Amino acid sequence: MNREISNRRDILAMVLIGFSFLAIIVISVLYFKEPENSEHVKNLFNALLPLMSTWIGTVLAFYFGREAQLGCKF
């Protein structure tokens, strides 16, 4: 049971990080591809980048914090 929960957490973390990176890349491509809409894309990027960075930071803190609590060595 505990291993199953761990697998779900790992999958969720990978999906969340993958989605965040993909969204950042797509928004960046839109910014450089469509100069006439660059102001709207820039505003969207400025609004979503902190959110995605927070998601990634939370996932990293969870995993590295768990390893530190367990006393595991890398």
Side-chain angles (χ1 to χ4, degrees):
M1 179 73 178
N2 198 11
R3 184 69 183 150
E4 184 179 325
I5 292 172
S6 178
N7 286 340
R8 287 182 188 170
R9 287 179 181 168
D10 292 344
I11 291 171
L12 178 63
M14 295 306 268
V15 168
L16 187 61
I17 290 174
F19 172 76
S20 297
F21 280 122
L22 182 66
I24 290 170
I25 290 170
V26 167
I27 293 171
S28 298
V29 167
L30 286 175
Y31 178 74
F32 289 110
K33 189 176 181 179
E34 310 245 351
E36 65 273 357
N37 292 332
S38 65
E39 190 64 34
H40 296 295
V41 175
K42 181 179 171 184
N43 290 338
L44 179 66
F45 187 73
N46 287 336
L48 292 180
L49 184 65
L51 174 68
M52 293 174 203
S53 300
T54 303
W55 285 346
I56 293 170
T58 301
V59 170
L60 291 174
F62 172 77
Y63 280 102
F64 283 107
R66 181 178 64 175
E67 295 296 325
Q69 283 182 339
L70 296 176
C72 296
K73 295 180 182 178
F74 294 104

